[in-house]
Amino acid sequence: WDANVDAEQSGGSGSKGNVYLNAGWAISANALYQVAPERPWGFNVAGALNAREGYPSPLFRGVTGPSGTAYSLQIGDENRNDDVHTLDLRLDKEFSFGAARQGHSDLGDFRLTVSLDVFNVANETTVLQRNRNQGQGNSNFILETISPRVFRLGARLGFR
């Protein structure tokens, strides 16, 4: 019997307790561009691209041995979920209020940053988890997907 560990199972509980963590590659790229930062109407645009290989999702069937002990018997070779790709974007504008400080003519005592974030811009629906137990009526049922596209409007107040 070959007992080599090919992927570490998560130590979480509930929906995160049955995930095998083993991505052979992962990419994260972030960028920020300041549009006309010297102008009063200037603003920032940012993006984050994240991708990784899909985690293993080994299929199994529950069996009972001769002594009555229950086992999970893996079926077939390694099965992986699809690769995960997400793009997030951000747009923000900072406003200054109050008296400017000496030596910092463009900065006021108070700053308000208004932002708009869009997560999962392409609205990907990549499957993250399925019911791997092939002995159940709902085998291969989707248990978790990437969160859908979400818009977030935010405001941050800063002061000196």
Side-chain angles (χ1 to χ4, degrees):
W1 177 41
D2 182 9
N4 292 333
V5 176
D6 293 325
E8 188 71 30
Q9 188 173 10
S10 66
S13 61
S15 67
K16 303 298 182 195
N18 196 20
V19 176
Y20 287 87
L21 308 173
N22 180 334
W25 58 268
I27 297 170
S28 180
N30 298 282
L32 168 73
Y33 184 73
Q34 295 182 310
V35 178
E38 69 287 346
R39 302 282 180 120
W41 52 267
F43 59 94
N44 298 324
V45 177
L49 175 65
N50 293 290
R52 69 164 169 77
E53 181 180 28
Y55 288 152
S57 185
L59 303 177
F60 71 91
R61 178 182 282 282
V63 295
T64 304
S67 65
T69 304
Y71 295 95
S72 294
L73 180 64
Q74 183 172 336
I75 300 171
D77 292 332
E78 182 180 295
N79 184 41
R80 278 193 179 268
N81 292 324
D82 291 339
D83 296 345
V84 178
H85 306 91
T86 59
L87 174 64
D88 304 330
L89 297 176
R90 177 181 180 91
L91 180 68
D92 70 38
K93 168 71 178 144
E94 184 176 280
F95 301 93
S96 295
F97 302 97
R101 302 181 72 188
Q102 188 176 27
H104 299 283
S105 60
D106 59 339
L107 298 177
D109 289 332
F110 298 94
R111 286 190 252 157
L112 174 68
T113 304
V114 179
S115 61
L116 173 67
D117 294 290
V118 183
F119 301 99
N120 191 6
V121 171
N123 204 23
E124 295 287 335
T125 58
T126 308
V127 173
L128 298 177
Q129 286 190 69
R130 291 182 183 273
N131 179 2
R132 299 178 300 108
N133 188 344
Q134 301 302 293
Q136 294 180 336
N138 65 347
S139 62
N140 299 317
F141 182 81
I142 295 173
L143 301 174
E144 181 184 18
T145 62
I146 290 182
S147 298
R149 181 184 307 122
V150 173
F151 293 87
R152 178 176 67 186
L153 183 61
R156 183 178 67 229
L157 180 62
F159 55 92
R160 294 184 187 263

